[in-house]
Amino acid sequence: KLVQLGFGTRNYDGNTTLCVASAVSGYKRSFGSDGPPGCYDDLARADVIFLIGANIADNHPILCQRLLENPEATLIVADPRVTKTAMMADIYLPLKPRSDIALLNGIAHILIRDGLIDRDYVARHTEGFEALREFVVAYPPARAAGITGLDEHVIERVATQYGRAEAAFIGWTMGVNHSTQGTETVNAIDNLALLTGQIGRAGAAPFSITGQCNAMGTREAGFASSLPGYRKFENPADRAELAALWNISADRIPTARGLAYPDIIEAALAKRIRALWIVATNPVVSFPNHELIRQALETVEFLIVQDGFHPTPTSELAHLVLPAAIWGEKKGTYTNSERRVSKVNRAVDPPGEARPDFDIFLDLAGRLGVRDELFPGWRTTRDSFEEWKRVSEGRLCDYSAMTWEAIERDGGIQWGGERLYTDGHFATPDGRAKLFCIDWQPFPEQPSREYPFILNTGRTVEHWHTRTKTGAVPILEGLSPRAWLEMNPRDAQRLGLRPHDRVSVVSTRSRVDGVELRVTEIVAPGQIFMPFHYAETNANCVTQSAYDPVSREPNFKQCAVQVHKTETARRGATRWKI
C-alpha cells in the first residue's frame, strides 16, 4: 500500500523473485492460483517421495527430519550433484544439468503407456490430456535417457514406483526454480501429480519448498505477481473489490504489475529508475551478474538500504541507511511453505537506533501525508493483521477466521487447511487443472572449448543467504569460514590441480579468485559446484543475466566457466569484507 498507493509507483518486488517465483507462476498456470497444495506432514505420509533439485538435508535441515520419520517410503532424488540428500536416497538419479523436463516427460510417457494414470481423475478434473498424450509420445525412455544421461531402465523403474504409489509426494526447490524454464518445469511436475491424481490427499502433493521464512508474504499480500489475496491485476472486479475494502478509487489500483526485480535493476542501470529502496536483502551478493548489480546501485541518484546489519556489501553503497530490527526484536506473523501462519514475539528490544520495519513504514507514510488514508488507526502489527484478515476473506488464502491468540496457542494455523484441492476443484474459470505440453530445451549458456565447465551454485547448511547474520555467529563461521569449489578428480588431474589449491573461476562476465579447491566425486566430470553465500569470493560475479520469461526468476545455475590455478599475486584478494 505504501509503495503502490503512497509513492504511486508500480515498480516493486520482493526477494521471492530470486527464490520461488517460478513455483508461483507454475502453480498459477496449472491450478489457477498460487498456493502450495500440500503440507510438511505429507513427507511422513507418502510411500514414494520424489525430490527434484532439492537438497533439503543442507537447505532445510528441520524439514529433512520428516524423511527420517518415514523410513518405509521410497526416496527418489534427482540432482546432478551427489548432495547429502542424494546420499539418503533409495534411488538416486544423477541427471545432467537442466535435463529435468526430459525426465518428467519420459515419466509421463511411461505412465500413460502403461496405464498407470488415474483416468477418472484426469477426465473429471483436468483439461488438455489428449494433447499431452500425443506430445509425450516424443519422449520415450530411450530419448529421455539420452538427454538426461540416465539409464532408461532406471527411468522405467522410477515411473513405475511413482505410478503405483498409494501416495506420492514431489518436492522441489532452487534446482527447479533457478532456471529459464523454471515455470515450465513446475508445470511438468504438476502434470505427473494430475495424471495420477496425486494431489489433495494425505501424502500426495506437488510441493514447492521455499528458500526463505516468509516467501509467502510477497506472494499473498504483495503487489508483485498478483494483487493482495491472489487477486488479478487484469480483473476489474478484483480491483473494484480491493478498492472498496480500502475506501479508495479503483483507478488507483494498477491494472498490471510493474517491473519485476531483474527489470528494476536493468532500469536503474539505464537511469530510467533514479532511486532504489532495498529492504532486508543484500543483492550485491545475492543477485546474478555481480558487475551489473553493482553498476546499477552506483548509478542511481538515491539508494536507501533498510537492514538489521551494517556494513554489508549493499549498505556500503547506500546514500541512506535505515537501521531495522530483526527477528526476535519485533512482533508479527509470517507464513511458511505449507501455508502455516506463525507468530513471533519480541524477545529483546532492538539495539541502538534500530526500529521494526512496520514503524519505519508508518512514519514514512506520515511524512508523505498518506498515513490516515492508507493506514487508518494502525498503531501495531496486529492492526495490519486485522486488515489483512478482511482483505483475504473469501479468497483462497483466507485468514479471516484466525486470531493472534489462536495462532500462538496452536503453534501456527494453516490457511486452506492441511491440503488444497481435496475436492478436485481448482481455482480456474472452469474448475479444472490444466495439463501442459512442455518441450525440453538446452540451458542458455552451453560449455565451450574456452569455457568447458558447467557451474552450479547453491547453499551449505552452516550459512544463511549472504552471511550477514550467520557470518557473525562464531560456531557457524568456524564450521564454514570460506567458499570452496568442488571438482571431479578426473578434471582436476587433467588440469594439474590438487586438493586445497587456490583456483580462479572465470566466465565471460567476470572472475572469482582464490577459491579453495575440493577434489571430489560429488560432482560429475565437466561440472563444478560453488556455494553463493560468500561476499569475499562471490559466485555471482560469474553468473549470467538470464531469466525465466514468465516468472522473471534468474537462471542462477548452469553458466559456462573455465577454472585455473590462481596467480600468486591474486591469491587472498577479496572484493568485499563483511
Side-chain angles (χ1 to χ4, degrees), residues 228-232 238 241 391-399:
Y230 291 152
R231 292 174 175 85
K232 296 180 179 179
D238 282 354
E241 182 182 43
V391 171
S392 66
E393 185 172 5
R395 309 299 302 176
L396 183 67
C397 52
D398 191 336
Y399 285 58

Side-chain angles (χ1 to χ4, degrees), residues 83-134:
T83 64
K84 294 175 185 175
T85 310
M87 295 175 190
M88 301 170 64
D90 298 294
I91 305 174
Y92 169 51
L93 305 176
L95 75 174
K96 293 179 181 178
R98 253 289 289 281
S99 63
D100 37 15
I101 288 175
L103 171 64
L104 295 163
N105 284 341
I107 292 172
H109 174 107
I110 296 165
L111 293 174
I112 296 171
R113 182 198 69 191
D114 294 352
L116 296 174
I117 64 173
D118 187 332
R119 291 190 176 277
D120 181 60
Y121 188 93
V122 169
R124 288 190 294 118
H125 301 300
T126 73
E127 179 183 293
F129 173 72
E130 286 303 320
L132 179 63
R133 181 180 62 79
E134 294 178 10

Side-chain angles (χ1 to χ4, degrees), residues 317-338:
L317 300 177
H319 299 100
L320 173 66
V321 175
L322 300 176
I326 64 171
W327 187 93
E329 297 170 358
K330 54 188 177 181
K331 188 175 188 177
T333 65
Y334 57 93
T335 307
N336 71 5
S337 297
E338 62 169 0

Side-chain angles (χ1 to χ4, degrees), residues 1-2 4 12 16 34 214-231 233 242 246 333 335 378 384-385 387-389 391-392 397 399 415:
K1 289 179 79 175
L2 177 62
Q4 299 281 347
Y12 155 94
T16 300
D34 184 22
N214 191 36
M216 295 298 290
T218 321
R219 297 160 69 170
E220 298 169 6
F223 280 82
S225 61
S226 63
L227 296 174
Y230 291 152
R231 292 174 175 85
F233 287 103
L242 194 60
W246 288 341
T333 65
T335 307
W378 284 29
S384 62
F385 184 75
E387 178 169 311
W388 172 239
K389 287 166 60 176
V391 171
S392 66
C397 52
Y399 285 58
W415 64 256

Side-chain angles (χ1 to χ4, degrees), residues 30 42 46 117 179-180 216 218 343 376 394 442 459 508:
S30 292
D42 287 330
I117 64 173
S179 163
T180 52
M216 295 298 290
T218 321
K343 181 166 173 280
R459 313 182 191 196
T508 59

